């Protein structure tokens, strides 16, 4: 994301540090307190230069530093943080980093915990398979595929209603309610009796979980700058993989309860993990403040988590980074007209196309990991524990990829690394008869395939950058996840029973989809570069006065503005 400043803006802001000023310039210098040195390429602690001084001013130049443009970007009067908005506010790097650490601890950590809870209830079906779930339910692998398809369809159907509810009620109200509701359904799987009850529970669970991820992304955007959000989304998805690790460990213990009260171990697994999730949902009512300036409550203290100075820094650093965040308040519903505008935002469509297919090369093998390992001769408990190593490596790879993307600014190129990683392992699974080689070698190759560096944090952050409005950010995140779930539906039907156990046909399809993905990344990069160059030509021919007139009178909104550049 980038908003291009008219030249007059940067020139006038720079006058604040000029020692030889005339009368007019003195007025400008008085109006604009000194700003910090632009830190475009210094985004992480390891990039700090040797002359880093925590007492230096951290406030970055923005559109609010010139009275000619400030009014065009002023937040709406009912914005929840308006009482802390102050274009003249200045703070140091030491203060900013301290505030970020507070946000990481208070906001980011709990958001990741909530995702961990959701993933426990979403993924425990895989652990149940190792405890003869299909045999106990008198079902086949095709029934299992149908269950995954039903889950994906209903998850997709729940995306928009949940996201619109969250935007209307506020994520701090809806997300905890959502967690409590789906935890009840998850725990009720203790009483499953057959194929029909299995499909009904998968449908209800998915519909109630739909929208959870984009809601959390929108919530985090209230607290973080764009370049910070990508890394935090890496932490967020790490919560999902941590849940998968915990699920394997918990399953190792709970599945030993097979026979307790005459019940299967997988029944106790669903019940106990559902109760854990429900507890986290109830705690979330306390742990989720509505926004940066709304942390005070009976449960979080009369003064809240942040001081007035902290709130001033939080609000102004965010709004200076992205003025569009002040265009809606956090309890404002998205109207049908605004929804239509967001749905027809063609500048986000390339990312939706990527979201449809990018994860398919690993999702199909991941769905069948437990069954594949059992087929190789590993027992129930070995299978659960052997799913842990790839998850650990996947977290490391994902965080490295997110960091690389922000370090280089090359989002398309970095996100495509996932595909290049998968290619050799899919080729191996396609050409080698894995039933004739060491089961440990096969496990190693599948594990390395599944450990591919996930591009989710990069791509969801990419949508957030390129939206440039709160409503497009909310709707775009939901649409991306809907396309992703459509990809899950495709993934759930690639490995078929008549292709077992080698799934040669399925792996050939995965290689073909991977090749398509590489083409999509190239096309997305070309499209965004072309769009930016087109805008540059129109913007650069304007005089400073014409640019100011455009900002005051134009009808372009969001990422259609000529002063906005799309990330690629």
């Amino acid at each position: 994301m980038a908003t291009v400043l008219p030249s007059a803006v940067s020139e006038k802001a720079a006058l604040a540090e000029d020692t030889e000023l005339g009368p007019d310039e003195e007025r400008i210098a008085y109006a604009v307190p000194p700003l910090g040195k632009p830190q475009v390429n210094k985004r992480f602690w390891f990039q700090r230069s040797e002359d880093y001084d925590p007492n230096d001013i951290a406030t970055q130049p923005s559109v609010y530093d010139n009275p000619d443009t400030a009014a065009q970007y002023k937040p709406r009067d009912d914005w929840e943080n308006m009482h802390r908005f102050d274009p003249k506010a200045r703070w140091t790097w030491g203060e900013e980093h301290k505030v970020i650490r507070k946000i990481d601890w208070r906001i980011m950590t709990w958001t990741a915990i909530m995702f961990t809870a959701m993933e426990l209830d979403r993924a425990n079906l895989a652990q149940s398979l190792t405890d003869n779930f299909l045999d106990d339910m008198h079902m086949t692998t095709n029934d299992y595929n149908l269950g995954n398809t039903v889950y994906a369809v209903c998850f997709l159907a729940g995306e928009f209603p949940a996201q619109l509810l969250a935007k209307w009620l506020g994520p701090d109200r809806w997300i905890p309610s959502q967690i409590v509701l789906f935890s009840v359904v998850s725990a009720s799987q203790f009483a499953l009796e057959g194929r029909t009850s299995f499909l009904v529970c998968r449908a209800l669970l998915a519909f109630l979980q739909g929208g959870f991820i984009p809601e959390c992304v929108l919530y985090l955007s209230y607290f973080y700058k764009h370049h910070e959000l990508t890394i935090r989304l890496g932490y967020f998805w790490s919560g999902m993989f941590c849940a998968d690790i915990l699920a394997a460990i918990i399953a190792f213990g709970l599945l030993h309860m097979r026979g307790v009260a005459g019940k299967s171990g997988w029944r106790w697994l669903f019940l106990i993990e559902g109760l854990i999730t429900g507890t986290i949902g109830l705690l979330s009512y306390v742990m989720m403040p509505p926004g940066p300036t709304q942390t005070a409550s009976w449960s979080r203290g009369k003064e809240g988590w942040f001081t007035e100075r902290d709130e001033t820094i939080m609000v102004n650093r965010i709004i200076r980074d992205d003025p569009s965040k002040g265009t809606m308040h956090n309890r404002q519903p998205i109207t049908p007209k605004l929804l239509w505008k967001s749905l027809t935002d063609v500048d986000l469509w390339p990312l939706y196309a990527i979201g449809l297919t990018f994860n398919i090369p690993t999702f199909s093998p991941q769905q069948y990991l437990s069954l594949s390992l059992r087929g190789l001769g590993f027992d129930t408990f070995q299978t659960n524990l052997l799913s842990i190593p790839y998850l650990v490596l996947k977290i490391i790879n994902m965080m490295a990829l997110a960091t690389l993307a922000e370090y280089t600014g090359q989002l398309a190129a970095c996100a495509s690394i996932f595909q290049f990683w998968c290619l050799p392992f899919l080729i191996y699974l396609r050409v080698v008869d894995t039933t004739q080689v060491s089961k440990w070698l096969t496990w190693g190759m599948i594990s390395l395939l599944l450990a591919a560096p996930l591009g989710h944090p990069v791509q969801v952050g990419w949508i957030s950058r390129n939206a440039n409005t709160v409503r497009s950010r909310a709707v775009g995140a939901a649409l991306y996840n809907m396309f992703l779930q459509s990809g899950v539906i495709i993934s759930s039907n690639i490995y078929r029973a008549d292709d077992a156990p080698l799934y040669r046909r399925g792996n050939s399809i995965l290689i073909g989809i991977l090749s398509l993905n590489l083409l999509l990344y190239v096309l997305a990069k070309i499209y965004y570069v072309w769009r930016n160059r087109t805008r540059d030509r129109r913007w650069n021919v304007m005089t400073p006065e014409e640019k100011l007139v455009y900002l005051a009178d134009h009808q372009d909104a969001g990422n259609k503005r000529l002063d906005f550049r799309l990330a690629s």
Side-chain angles (χ1 to χ4, degrees):
M1 192 286 296
T3 299
V4 180
L5 302 181
S7 58
V9 175
S10 56
E11 290 168 2
K12 290 181 180 181
L15 289 173
E17 299 179 0
D18 197 332
T19 57
E20 298 181 358
L21 302 175
D24 292 337
E25 288 81 1
E26 286 176 359
R27 176 186 62 79
I28 295 168
Y30 178 77
V32 183
L35 293 164
K37 181 180 179 181
Q39 300 288 308
V40 177
N41 295 318
K42 299 195 181 301
R43 296 169 171 171
F44 310 110
W45 62 268
F46 58 82
Q47 289 179 271
R48 295 177 186 171
S49 59
E50 294 180 359
D51 60 351
Y52 166 77
D53 185 348
N55 296 315
D56 283 347
I57 295 176
T59 312
Q60 298 294 287
S62 81
V63 293
Y64 298 111
D65 298 322
N66 187 290
D68 293 332
T69 59
Q72 314 305 325
Y73 296 92
K74 182 183 176 182
R76 54 189 294 156
D77 292 336
D78 61 352
W79 186 44
E80 67 274 10
N81 302 312
M82 193 63 185
H83 61 294
R84 295 285 185 252
F85 174 64
D86 181 5
K88 296 183 182 179
R90 300 292 182 267
W91 57 91
T92 66
W93 286 112
E95 288 180 302
E96 177 161 325
H97 292 150
K98 181 180 178 181
V99 168
I100 293 172
R101 287 193 295 271
K102 280 187 179 181
I103 298 171
D104 287 341
W105 173 247
R106 293 288 192 177
I107 305 300
M108 184 66 249
T109 300
W110 191 257
T111 306
I113 289 172
M114 292 190 298
F115 197 10
T116 299
M118 193 204 80
E119 182 64 14
L120 274 178
D121 285 352
R122 180 167 66 169
N124 52 16
L125 180 62
Q127 277 77 42
S128 73
L129 293 177
T130 66
D131 192 44
N132 299 318
F133 174 80
L134 294 181
D135 291 338
D136 290 350
M137 296 287 288
H138 307 292
M139 298 192 322
T140 67
T141 54
N142 285 343
D143 294 324
Y144 172 65
N145 283 343
L146 178 60
N148 287 327
T149 301
V150 168
Y151 181 93
V153 170
C154 293
F155 195 97
L156 188 153
E159 287 283 351
F160 263 136
Q163 182 72 327
L164 296 178
L165 271 174
K167 188 65 190 71
W168 178 33
L169 300 175
D172 58 297
R173 294 173 178 172
W174 173 242
I175 291 177
S177 302
Q178 195 175 11
I179 295 174
V180 171
L181 288 170
F182 67 65
S183 71
V184 172
V185 176
S186 180
S188 70
Q189 292 177 107
F190 176 86
L192 289 177
E193 290 298 335
R195 182 175 182 268
T196 301
S197 59
F198 165 70
L199 295 176
V200 169
C201 277
R202 296 312 289 175
L204 285 174
L205 185 66
F207 187 79
L208 291 172
Q209 290 181 334
F212 178 87
I213 294 173
E215 292 157 21
C216 289
V217 173
L218 177 64
Y219 181 68
L220 290 174
S221 73
Y222 296 161
F223 297 88
Y224 290 107
K225 293 181 180 181
H226 288 293
H227 76 267
E228 296 166 347
L229 186 60
T230 299
I231 302 300
R232 271 65 185 189
L233 290 176
Y235 297 147
F236 179 66
W237 262 281
S238 293
M240 180 181 74
F241 297 126
C242 287
D244 292 336
I245 294 172
L246 286 173
I249 296 172
I250 293 172
F252 180 82
L254 294 183
L255 293 181
H256 277 93
M257 294 180 66
R258 188 175 186 87
V260 174
K263 302 295 183 181
S264 301
W266 57 263
R267 295 186 186 274
W268 294 110
L269 180 72
F270 286 136
L271 177 63
I272 294 174
E273 289 190 349
L275 293 175
I276 292 172
T277 301
T279 301
I280 292 175
L282 293 174
L283 289 174
S284 297
Y285 284 108
V286 174
M287 298 301 294
M288 287 189 72
T293 63
Q294 298 169 303
T295 61
S297 71
W298 65 268
S299 58
R300 293 183 291 269
K302 184 178 180 181
E303 302 299 324
W305 290 341
F306 303 102
T307 66
E308 182 177 331
R309 176 66 174 169
D310 290 341
E311 291 179 355
T312 298
I313 295 171
M314 293 164 68
V315 168
N316 288 283
R317 76 186 202 94
I318 290 297
I319 201 68
R320 295 176 78 89
D321 176 66
D322 182 0
S324 74
K325 292 184 178 181
T327 58
M328 295 183 78
H329 63 76
N330 61 1
R331 301 249 194 267
Q332 181 180 351
I334 297 174
T335 64
K337 182 178 179 180
L338 292 177
L339 176 61
W340 178 249
K341 282 186 178 180
S342 299
L343 290 173
T344 55
D345 186 352
V346 296
D347 286 328
L348 295 181
W349 288 4
L351 299 178
Y352 302 151
I354 289 173
L356 175 65
T357 59
F358 91 99
N359 201 29
I360 292 178
T362 61
F363 202 87
S364 293
Q366 181 182 340
Q367 285 184 321
Y368 272 75
L369 178 63
S370 296
L371 292 175
S372 296
L373 293 181
R374 288 302 303 274
L376 289 172
F378 293 107
D379 64 30
T380 297
F381 306 108
Q382 287 176 329
T383 296
N384 282 308
L385 294 178
L386 287 174
S387 67
I388 294 176
Y390 93 82
L391 291 168
V392 175
L393 182 56
K394 194 175 191 72
I395 291 173
I396 295 171
N397 285 341
M398 180 180 63
M399 292 305 302
L401 182 68
T403 304
L404 179 66
E406 285 304 327
Y407 184 84
T408 62
Q410 298 298 318
L411 305 184
C414 290
S416 67
I417 291 175
F418 177 87
Q419 311 298 326
F420 288 106
W421 177 292
C422 294
L423 183 58
F425 301 110
L426 285 176
I427 292 174
Y428 175 87
L429 294 176
R430 171 62 183 83
V431 302
V432 174
D433 185 348
T434 53
T435 63
Q436 302 300 314
V437 298
S438 166
K439 65 180 182 180
W440 289 103
L441 176 60
T442 301
W443 166 76
M445 298 302 286
I446 295 175
S447 296
L448 287 172
L449 167 65
L450 299 182
L454 191 65
H456 267 318
V458 176
Q459 290 166 191
V460 174
W462 196 355
I463 287 176
S464 182
R465 291 169 193 250
N466 285 356
N468 203 39
T469 59
V470 176
R471 46 97 177 161
S472 285
R473 191 168 291 119
V475 174
L479 270 175
Y480 171 83
N481 220 39
M482 290 176 70
F483 275 83
L484 177 68
Q485 293 307 314
S486 299
V488 171
I489 296 172
I490 298 171
S491 301
S492 299
N493 293 280
I494 290 178
Y495 283 1
R496 305 295 295 176
D498 63 341
D499 195 28
L502 299 179
Y503 301 110
R504 291 192 186 278
R505 182 183 68 230
N507 288 324
S508 297
I509 294 172
L510 294 181
I511 292 172
I513 292 175
L514 185 150
S515 302
L516 171 63
N517 291 338
L518 291 174
L519 176 62
L520 290 176
Y521 282 112
V522 171
L523 292 177
K525 178 70 175 183
I526 292 172
Y527 175 78
Y528 288 131
V529 170
W530 169 74
R531 288 286 282 163
N532 287 340
R533 287 178 178 174
T534 301
R535 292 179 186 182
D536 280 337
R537 286 195 296 269
R538 295 179 61 190
W539 183 254
N540 292 336
V541 298
M542 294 183 183
T543 65
E545 291 73 19
E546 288 174 331
K547 290 176 181 177
L548 293 176
V549 170
Y550 170 83
L551 294 176
D553 300 334
H554 72 90
Q555 298 301 311
D556 298 334
N559 57 15
K560 301 299 179 287
R561 298 169 62 108
L562 291 181
D563 61 334
F564 179 79
R565 298 296 175 267
L566 297 155
S568 64

